[in-house]
Amino acid sequence: MSSPRRNGSVSGEGANPGAVVSVRGSVVDVRFERDLPPINALLRAGDDGRIAIEVVAQRGAREVRGIALTPTQGLARGMAVVDTGGPLEAPVGQGVLGRMLDVFGNVIDRGPALTDIDWRTVHRAPPELGTRSTKSEIFETGIKVIDALVPIERGGKAGLFGGAGVGKTVLLSELIHNMVGHHQGVSLFCGIGERSREGEELYRDMQAAGVLQNMVMVFGQMNEPPGSRFRVAHAALTMAEYFRDDEHRDVLLLIDNIFRFIQAGMEVSGLIGQMPSRLGYQPTMGTELSGLEERIANTDSGAITSIQAVYVPADDFTDPAAVHTFSHLSASIVLSRKRASEGLYPAIDPLQSRSKMATPGVVGERHYELAQSIRRTLAEYAGLKDIIAMLGLEQISTEDRQVVARARRLERFLTQPFFTTEQFTGHEGKLVSLEDTLEGCEAILQDELADYPESALYMIGAISEAKKKSTPSPASAAPVEA
């Protein structure tokens, strides 16, 4: 561990003094007469060093340009600045469990100060290739549609893609509940550009669920400067690396949301005067995203499994932010506004979502064949929808009508009541094993539930619940509407 130095503890003795040359919003130029600070060095200014500045460029032999990580109100030309002698650091250790922190490691949950911790730089290199694990394992979530069609890799990265209001944060909250409750690991939630209301609600929910003692929450809130929002992901990842490398524990890292990390980088890039790239994004977007994503890895000592919400601007999946993020992921879970409007929650689009784990060599022959059959059935139904809308269900063949019946039952069976939404929906949350999910899908594809109404399969757990919930009826074999 690094020497126990709190972020920005500035001592006058031996410190390297400088002076503010100019202040333009969050951009601060500082002049040093000796020992020019290196890139990423943390500078402190103002009363008791309350203003934190990170060096982003050396502008000459005596001058550096920095981005303020805190508001710059009260900062003026000529004010004293001190080089802290190191970069931004994050607290690591058992003491951070159950706490809510900001980018500097300050507690923001109104609890006591941190104890039993040390400090590490947030600027760390990805693990070397020789230390990475080459095994491919599935990370079971207990959510039917994910486990069956878009399996997540242990030590991999999965993205939740979707526009505003389609359920990304709800799905993340459910994953936290399931993972911390049923896996002996650490869950780390990183909120980038989050509303303070969302952070407070998540804290209360996790406290009520009794899983807070194995969680860490790190927030860079929406009202904070772009420098702070940009660095909060690195701070959270540093804590995750400690639990993986030093304590050999599996870590679930949830990031909400990675688009705001890119957006904060875009703001920083614009502030320091870099020429924008396509659609106004920073020219260094690929490098910045890679620097973060490559640190999330599966090593011989443990794994960091990351699930990241990705806001898609205007639902446009060709946006550079979405395209760059896609390239780092082993699973892409796409949320559909249309499915959300139909009440099919979680609103995951099974035809657009993809996983690199869904191969016979990883999930097994039976699971692979079943997933392919489910996709094929849903794709055929999607192709028939226009015909049904124009001509009616009676005008298609008997075989096609059976495909429609199976697809509609599959769509309803792949819905699931969540623990985190019990108070809103009145449905008790369900955790479904992979075996129960596959058995249910198999039964539907083999027309074992053709005599049960579609409604019996909506918002249930295992397929056995449908049989308890409803009795078969010959009249329900054909779907009523498309």
Side-chain angles (χ1 to χ4, degrees), residues 447-465:
D447 291 333
E448 289 176 24
L449 284 97
D451 294 336
Y452 286 81
E454 292 171 2
S455 57
L457 297 165
Y458 182 67
M459 286 294 169
I460 60 168
I463 201 75
S464 55
E465 290 179 37

Side-chain angles (χ1 to χ4, degrees), residues 397-417:
S397 67
T398 308
E399 193 179 320
D400 284 344
R401 251 179 279 182
Q402 286 178 336
V403 169
V404 171
R406 286 182 207 123
R408 288 176 62 85
R409 282 173 172 75
L410 281 170
E411 282 184 337
R412 278 142 190 79
F413 177 64
L414 292 175
T415 62
Q416 189 167 340

Side-chain angles (χ1 to χ4, degrees), residues 46-308:
D47 303 330
D48 301 321
R50 64 181 177 80
I51 298 171
I53 303 161
E54 187 177 66
V55 176
V56 294
Q58 294 180 333
R59 292 174 49 77
R62 292 281 174 267
E63 199 172 298
V64 296
R65 174 162 288 177
I67 284 286
L69 306 183
T70 53
T72 53
Q73 282 90 339
L75 194 63
R77 289 180 66 182
M79 283 182 70
V81 177
V82 177
D83 176 10
T84 62
L88 179 69
E89 293 182 328
V92 297
Q94 286 292 321
V96 299
L97 289 172
R99 305 307 302 270
M100 187 189 277
L101 311 167
D102 67 8
V103 68
F104 300 105
N106 301 318
V107 292
I108 53 175
D109 55 12
R110 299 183 183 174
L114 294 177
T115 55
D116 188 26
I117 57 158
D118 211 328
W119 296 83
R120 284 187 180 170
T121 172
V122 302
H123 305 282
R124 296 169 63 82
E128 293 178 9
L129 284 174
T131 65
R132 298 196 182 204
S133 173
T134 55
K135 286 190 296 183
S136 291
E137 296 177 55
I138 297 302
F139 195 78
E140 212 172 300
T141 64
I143 297 172
K144 290 185 284 192
V145 65
I146 293 177
D147 289 343
L149 298 175
V150 204
I152 292 172
E153 180 186 12
R154 178 181 173 270
K157 297 177 276 283
L160 299 179
F161 289 83
V166 293
K168 295 187 297 298
T169 304
V170 170
L171 195 50
L172 278 185
S173 302
E174 185 70 6
L175 284 163
I176 294 173
H177 182 280
N178 292 357
M179 292 311 107
V180 180
H182 299 86
H183 289 255
Q184 297 306 308
V186 176
S187 195
L188 215 145
F189 183 89
C190 174
I192 307 174
E194 285 287 275
R195 301 166 186 85
S196 54
R197 169 185 59 78
E198 292 174 333
E200 195 269 345
E201 283 175 2
L202 182 68
Y203 183 83
R204 303 273 175 234
D205 290 345
M206 295 303 111
Q207 200 171 36
V211 296
L212 198 60
Q213 70 276 9
N214 280 318
M215 268 195 81
V216 188
M217 297 186 200
V218 191
F219 283 94
Q221 293 175 51
M222 196 176 267
N223 62 327
E224 292 181 20
S228 172
R229 283 181 273 123
F230 185 69
R231 284 290 172 229
V232 74
H234 298 99
L237 197 45
T238 302
M239 296 177 207
E241 286 168 336
Y242 164 80
F243 288 109
R244 178 191 66 192
D245 300 336
D246 292 48
E247 300 212 349
H248 308 303
R249 295 173 76 176
D250 282 358
V251 183
L252 178 67
L253 173 64
L254 299 119
I255 302 176
D256 190 5
N257 109 28
I258 205 73
F259 173 77
R260 293 203 190 108
F261 168 77
I262 294 169
Q263 199 173 40
M266 180 166 63
E267 290 177 49
V268 169
S269 174
L271 286 167
I272 62 175
Q274 287 183 332
M275 183 70 74
S277 179
R278 184 167 160 241
L279 296 185
Y281 287 103
Q282 65 272 39
T284 53
M285 175 170 61
T287 312
E288 289 167 1
L289 191 60
S290 299
L292 181 75
E293 297 282 10
E294 286 304 302
R295 288 170 63 181
I296 302 168
N298 187 358
T299 68
D300 296 331
S301 56
I304 299 175
T305 304
S306 176
I307 300 173
Q308 307 166 8

Side-chain angles (χ1 to χ4, degrees), residues 358-420:
T359 62
V362 178
V363 298
E365 201 68 47
R366 179 202 173 205
H367 184 168
Y368 174 75
E369 291 297 340
L370 202 50
Q372 292 296 92
S373 296
I374 295 167
R375 285 184 191 278
R376 197 160 42 244
T377 305
L378 294 174
E380 284 176 29
Y381 175 43
L384 289 167
K385 277 182 179 176
D386 288 343
I387 298 169
I388 296 167
M390 288 187 291
L391 304 175
L393 194 64
E394 312 75 46
Q395 301 303 313
I396 62 174
S397 67
T398 308
E399 193 179 320
D400 284 344
R401 251 179 279 182
Q402 286 178 336
V403 169
V404 171
R406 286 182 207 123
R408 288 176 62 85
R409 282 173 172 75
L410 281 170
E411 282 184 337
R412 278 142 190 79
F413 177 64
L414 292 175
T415 62
Q416 189 167 340
F418 282 175
F419 293 96
T420 49

